[in-house]
């Protein structure tokens, strides 16, 4: 499910936005604490939403400054929501890397259309990098796996292994295939390194999902268990 994060300091507006989003089939996340920008940036980093709706006036904090900080570390699409209609703030927001700009008050249909358009634009070509498996959402482009409210990150090698397993879901991926993907098949050097990488990946997934999802087939390879 696509996760949209609402960054808006007024609880009533948050509530209404949340209802609009959920009604349209999105998962609505929110920031409820507006102490300082560091705390908000950290929360955004932990939540890793697919899109952010950002209010510009945040209980004395600057939404534009927050956008600038977010842009220094991520490409998450951002739609600015504001009651301030001056052209300069619009231009400024675009300069800071906002993906769209919506003036309050807005109609919910317009808001949803703009969200869909931004998501379509930003997710194009990235579809093969998103997998759903065992209740987890796996984003190979970002190397991130979310399960319920938690998210973990994988190393490059772990991602290479998981991608092969996902692409061959239901079947066995041979050790040779994995070693070729990882190290161009220098098997005598890396046979043990493959075992270590697979077991790290297995442990990470097991901690997140609560059960082992990588099965070892002695002498053959590995497969994913579950769907
Ligand atoms: Ca506000």
């Amino acid at each position: 499910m696509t996760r949209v994060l609402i960054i808006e300091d007024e609880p009533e507006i948050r509530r209404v936005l949340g209802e609009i989003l959920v009604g349209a089939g999105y998962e609505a996340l929110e920031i409820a604490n507006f102490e300082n920008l560091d705390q908000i940036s950290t929360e955004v980093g932990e939540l890793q939403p697919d899109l952010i709706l950002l209010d510009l006036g945040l209980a004395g904090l600057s939404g534009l400054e927050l956008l600038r900080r977010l842009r220094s570390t991520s490409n998450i699409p951002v739609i600015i929501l504001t009651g301030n209609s001056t052209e300069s703030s619009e231009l400024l927001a675009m300069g800071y890397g906002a993906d769209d700009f919506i003036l309050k008050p807005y109609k919910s249909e317009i808001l949803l259309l703009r969200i869909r358009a931004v998501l379509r634009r930003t997710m194009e070509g990235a579809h093969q990098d998103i997998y759903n498996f065992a209740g987890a959402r796996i984003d190979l482009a970002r190397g991130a796996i979310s399960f319920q409210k938690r998210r973990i990150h994988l190393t490059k090698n772990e991602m290479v292994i998981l991608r092969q397993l996902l692409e061959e879901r239901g079947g066995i991926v041979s050790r040779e295939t994995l070693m070729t993907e990882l190290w161009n098949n220098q098997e005598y050097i890396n046979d043990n390194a493959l075992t270590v990488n697979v077991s790290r990946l297995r442990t990470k997934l097991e901690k997140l999902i609560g059960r082992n999802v990588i099965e070892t087939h002695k002498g053959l390879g590995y497969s994913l268990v579950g769907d």
Side-chain angles (χ1 to χ4, degrees):
M1 194 183 279
T2 305
R3 310 160 90 231
V4 178
L5 174 63
I6 303 164
I7 306 184
E8 157 68 65
D9 59 325
E10 287 168 53
E12 180 57 18
I13 299 182
R14 274 211 304 275
R15 191 186 63 75
V16 172
L17 279 172
E19 280 178 5
I20 294 172
L21 292 169
V22 170
Y26 296 105
E27 182 180 348
L29 310 168
E30 34 180 80
I31 301 274
N33 185 346
F34 293 90
E35 246 165 64
N36 58 60
L37 294 176
D38 283 342
Q39 157 255 323
I40 301 173
S41 310
T42 305
E43 266 189 75
V44 174
E46 286 166 359
L47 291 167
Q48 290 280 325
D50 298 299
L51 182 138
I52 294 171
L53 297 178
L54 176 64
D55 178 30
L56 284 189
L58 298 168
L61 302 174
S62 161
L64 278 182
E65 175 58 19
L66 177 62
L67 174 60
R68 197 186 60 75
R69 290 190 187 201
L70 294 176
R71 273 294 165 267
S72 69
T73 56
S74 91
N75 294 316
I76 299 170
V78 173
I79 298 179
I80 298 280
L81 301 175
T82 183
N84 181 349
S85 66
T86 63
E87 203 179 17
S88 62
S89 67
E90 176 168 358
L91 289 172
L92 193 51
M94 294 305 177
Y96 278 29
D99 296 89
D100 205 348
F101 191 93
I102 299 177
L103 288 179
K104 296 174 187 173
Y106 41 80
K107 290 202 172 102
S108 58
E109 307 86 75
I110 300 293
L111 174 72
L112 291 171
L113 281 174
R114 305 283 279 271
I115 289 175
R116 265 199 292 278
V118 167
L119 284 172
R120 201 168 45 235
R121 228 171 32 235
T122 53
M123 283 177 154
E124 246 164 39
H127 280 295
Q128 63 273 36
D129 285 332
I130 307 282
Y131 290 88
N132 291 300
F133 172 73
R137 182 175 186 278
I138 300 168
D139 182 341
L140 291 173
R142 290 184 187 147
I145 306 181
S146 332
F147 183 75
Q148 292 162 2
K149 293 273 175 209
R150 285 177 302 143
R151 171 165 294 217
I152 59 166
H153 286 89
L154 300 181
T155 65
K156 189 167 158 281
N157 283 352
E158 290 162 355
M159 276 196 294
V160 169
I161 296 167
L162 186 55
R163 182 189 291 278
Q164 292 298 316
L165 291 170
L166 285 164
E167 285 176 356
E168 282 297 319
R169 222 189 284 186
I172 296 171
V173 179
S174 70
R175 292 180 62 87
E176 289 69 29
T177 300
L178 292 173
M179 283 189 283
T180 304
E181 289 297 322
L182 286 166
W183 304 292
N184 205 18
N185 205 18
Q186 297 170 346
E187 54 196 292
Y188 296 107
I189 304 168
N190 291 307
D191 194 64
N192 188 49
L194 175 64
T195 307
V196 169
N197 276 281
V198 170
S199 94
R200 279 200 196 120
L201 175 62
R202 177 185 279 132
T203 305
K204 275 192 183 178
L205 293 174
E206 189 167 1
K207 268 193 184 161
L208 183 70
I209 296 171
R211 64 187 173 82
N212 176 32
V213 293
I214 300 179
E215 190 172 345
T216 303
H217 303 267
K218 271 242 153 67
L220 293 173
Y222 304 95
S223 68
L224 283 181
V225 190
D227 50 19

